[in-house]
Amino acid sequence: MSLQQPSPPQTEQDAENAQNKAAFLMDLRARGIQDLNLLRALEIVPREIFVPHRFADLARRPIALPLRCGQTLPEPWLAARMIEALAPARDHRVLEIGTGSGYATALLARLSREVLSIERFQSLAIEAEARLARLGITNAGIVFGDGLAFLPRIGPFDRIIVQGLLIEIPENLVAVLGPGGVLVAARPDPKIASRQQITRIARNEAGGFDETPVCASRLQALLPGEAQAL
């Protein structure tokens, strides 16, 4: 008869990490995140490896954190709210504009069949690709390029998520959004010009689009072109 080996004793660091993870998930639930598959992905994907090392101890806090190239990793609840509004499914092909650290890319990869993420800063794209490889994620690819100027031949996509503010929706994004597709991005608030809001844009049966506001946001405007220095 074989005896099961006892689990190693939990260290204080292990206990603290478990508490931080529990508080992280409780905060997301309290802010209205309800999708169980998404919550499971948020539990599994370690946000701490997607931030600069000096901010690792803040990774599970409900705050935005700075990245290289003047970019920002949004608050966890905002990333979750955008993905929940996107509603990716296991058979979906997803396009992400603005990889950043790759955190949302990793979450999307656990919820969909395939993810293509485009990042205009080459250094961010390289680092994000390394993080995904470290986690063993193989159904997500990262491309260095201008997410606002890609060719329609890479489509169609079931879902498109834009990690930034779009003043206007580019025609090439519309062109690669498949039937019944959904696009989620920050858009100017039509009621207050100085504000923005996350918006869900769904292609309807008539071929038009239905826009639904999701929540307030403060994302950076999406810039065209590839960054030359970074």
Side-chain angles (χ1 to χ4, degrees):
M1 183 177 70
S2 61
L3 296 176
Q4 185 176 3
Q5 293 296 320
S7 301
Q10 189 178 51
T11 66
E12 290 186 9
Q13 185 62 52
D14 291 336
E16 183 179 353
N17 290 340
Q19 290 176 356
N20 289 340
K21 182 180 290 188
F24 176 76
L25 294 172
M26 287 178 61
D27 179 74
L28 291 170
R29 284 178 174 272
R31 292 174 184 268
I33 305 303
Q34 299 179 352
D35 186 283
L36 295 180
N37 290 328
L38 174 56
L39 287 166
R40 178 59 176 162
L42 287 158
E43 179 182 10
I44 292 172
V45 175
R47 191 170 184 255
E48 54 270 19
I49 76 167
F50 291 91
V51 302
H53 181 71
R54 64 185 182 277
F55 298 123
D57 61 333
L58 301 176
R60 296 282 183 174
R61 302 284 182 88
I63 56 176
L65 294 171
L67 301 174
R68 293 180 59 183
C69 308
Q71 301 303 293
T72 302
L73 178 64
E75 301 94 318
W77 71 266
L78 183 58
R81 185 64 61 85
M82 291 180 72
I83 293 174
E84 191 170 53
L86 192 71
R90 288 293 184 185
D91 61 341
H92 283 168
R93 190 167 185 243
V94 179
L95 174 65
E96 180 185 32
I97 308 298
T99 311
S101 70
Y103 179 61
T105 318
L107 295 172
L108 291 166
R110 293 192 174 275
L111 299 168
S112 56
R113 174 171 60 88
E114 178 187 357
V115 182
L116 174 63
S117 187
I118 304 177
E119 173 56 55
R120 69 185 297 267
F121 292 101
Q122 188 173 30
S123 58
L124 289 182
I126 292 171
E127 291 171 357
E129 190 171 35
R131 293 183 181 111
L132 296 184
R134 175 179 170 184
L135 293 177
I137 294 174
T138 58
N139 64 326
I142 297 174
V143 175
F144 165 55
D146 182 358
L148 298 180
F150 60 86
L151 298 176
R153 66 171 179 263
I154 69 172
F157 292 92
D158 303 288
R159 298 289 188 267
I160 299 175
I161 186 167
V162 179
Q163 304 289 358
L165 172 67
L166 286 179
I167 305 301
E168 300 291 341
I169 304 296
E171 287 298 324
N172 57 345
L173 281 185
V174 174
V176 298
L177 187 62
V182 173
L183 184 153
V184 171
R187 299 276 284 137
D189 189 325
K191 298 179 180 179
I192 305 176
S194 61
R195 296 184 182 177
Q196 60 174 256
Q197 59 189 11
I198 300 301
T199 304
R200 185 180 192 269
I201 303 169
R203 190 185 288 277
N204 57 37
E205 294 182 357
F209 292 92
D210 299 320
E211 295 196 19
T212 305
V214 176
C215 64
S217 61
R218 291 183 296 177
L219 296 180
Q220 295 169 286
L222 208 66
L223 299 175
E226 298 176 354
Q228 299 300 312
L230 300 170

